[in-house]
Amino acid sequence: SQELEQSPQSLIVQEGKNLTINCTSSKTLYGLYWYKQKYGEGLIFLMMLQKGGEEKSHEKITAKLDEKKQQSSLHITASQPSHAGIYLCGADRRNRDDKIIFGKGTRLHILP
Amino acid sequence: DVKVTQSSRYLVKRTGEKVFLECVQDMDHENMFWYRQDPGLGLRLIYFSYDVKMKEKGDIPEGYSVSREKKERFSLILESASTNQTSMYLCASSATTEAFFGQGTRLTVV
């Protein structure tokens, strides 16, 4: 079955620094989603990538999907305390309609 | 904006109790989901529903049941709560594959 591996599991960065979170799939991704979760709350949709080589940005967060559609990276530029939380990647599971599988998440802490 | 509302943010229940977690969405979505989230395990799908009165088991259905009598409401039921069901529970709804999540219910079973 398709699985998503996220790395790193946990990340601590100084405010103002850049950082990257990776999401790797064992199979080709048909749709890749990035979500953010503030501690103890629900998930907030960030962006969706579908095409190989696609890149999207939202404020200081940029996500890319590689050409082979098996790896995505989420990059945050000049991190701020508001970026702290858990970032999850999710992917379409095409053999079971309309469901998304998730990575285990990356816990991001921002040091002031 | 899509709104998915879970009835409780925090719940504390005793072992053996029957527990109901309620989820309501206001966008007429066909699909609704219940996940639980645990440290180191990420999100795992418990049950999902494609339509009223339809339900399908997810990856970890044991110890849970669901009810969908109306399109907008999807309930998760713990028939006899156990301590290993202490977790964060997240409800989601979707029309296509993009899912919208509730704020989560942190359930503690003592």
Side-chain angles (χ1 to χ4, degrees):
Chain A
S1 60
Q2 184 175 33
E3 290 187 352
L4 293 178
E5 292 286 335
Q6 273 187 250
S7 62
Q9 278 190 315
S10 177
L11 193 54
I12 303 173
V13 298
Q14 202 77 38
E15 182 178 352
K17 297 292 186 184
N18 303 336
L19 63 104
T20 300
I21 298 168
N22 293 302
C23 177
T24 302
S25 170
S26 54
K27 298 182 181 179
T28 301
L29 298 166
Y30 292 98
L32 189 286
Y33 305 80
W34 282 101
Y35 291 89
K36 179 188 173 185
Q37 182 181 24
K38 290 187 178 179
Y39 298 118
E41 298 185 9
L43 295 176
I44 299 167
F45 171 76
L46 295 176
M47 56 192 90
M48 180 180 74
L49 305 165
Q50 284 187 303
K51 299 176 184 176
E54 187 175 9
E55 179 176 322
K56 287 187 178 178
S57 292
H58 175 69
E59 297 177 348
K60 292 186 178 180
I61 301 176
T62 301
K64 300 179 186 179
L65 182 61
D66 75 342
E67 290 290 342
K68 291 184 179 179
K69 295 171 65 175
Q70 285 191 268
Q71 185 168 22
S72 178
S73 59
L74 184 86
H75 185 77
I76 298 177
T77 305
S79 58
Q80 300 169 355
S82 61
H83 289 130
I86 300 171
Y87 290 81
L88 287 115
C89 64
D92 285 351
R93 184 153 54 175
R94 278 298 173 94
N95 58 340
R96 300 180 76 174
D97 294 335
D98 293 343
K99 291 197 302 177
I100 302 175
I101 59 169
F102 292 93
K104 292 181 180 178
T106 295
R107 190 176 291 268
L108 174 62
H109 301 272
I110 306 294
L111 298 176
Chain B
D1 282 351
V2 175
K3 194 168 183 182
V4 180
T5 304
Q6 292 181 229
S7 54
S8 305
R9 289 292 302 275
Y10 300 96
L11 274 179
V12 180
K13 296 291 181 181
R14 293 192 182 279
T15 301
E17 274 193 78
K18 190 168 186 176
V19 181
F20 293 86
L21 302 183
E22 306 287 347
C23 176
V24 178
Q25 51 97 0
D26 65 359
M27 284 301 290
D28 203 36
H29 286 166
E30 274 90 26
N31 307 317
M32 295 189 75
F33 309 84
W34 274 107
Y35 293 90
R36 64 178 281 179
Q37 184 181 30
D38 300 288
L41 297 175
L43 280 172
R44 292 179 293 167
L45 182 63
I46 305 171
Y47 266 98
F48 62 102
S49 169
Y50 290 136
D51 202 349
V52 175
K53 297 191 187 293
M54 302 289 287
K55 60 184 179 183
E56 294 281 344
K57 292 180 180 179
D59 300 314
I60 51 162
E62 296 78 19
Y64 303 94
S65 62
V66 290
S67 172
R68 190 144 180 224
E69 296 296 320
K70 293 184 178 181
K71 194 175 186 180
E72 66 270 19
R73 186 181 295 271
F74 192 36
S75 303
L76 181 70
I77 304 158
L78 285 66
E79 297 291 341
S80 178
S82 62
T83 54
N84 63 12
Q85 292 178 309
T86 292
S87 186
M88 168 73 93
Y89 289 87
L90 287 159
C91 171
S93 74
S94 73
T96 57
T97 47
E98 178 187 338
F100 298 86
F101 287 83
Q103 78 278 24
T105 297
R106 185 166 291 282
L107 172 67
T108 302
V109 182
V110 298

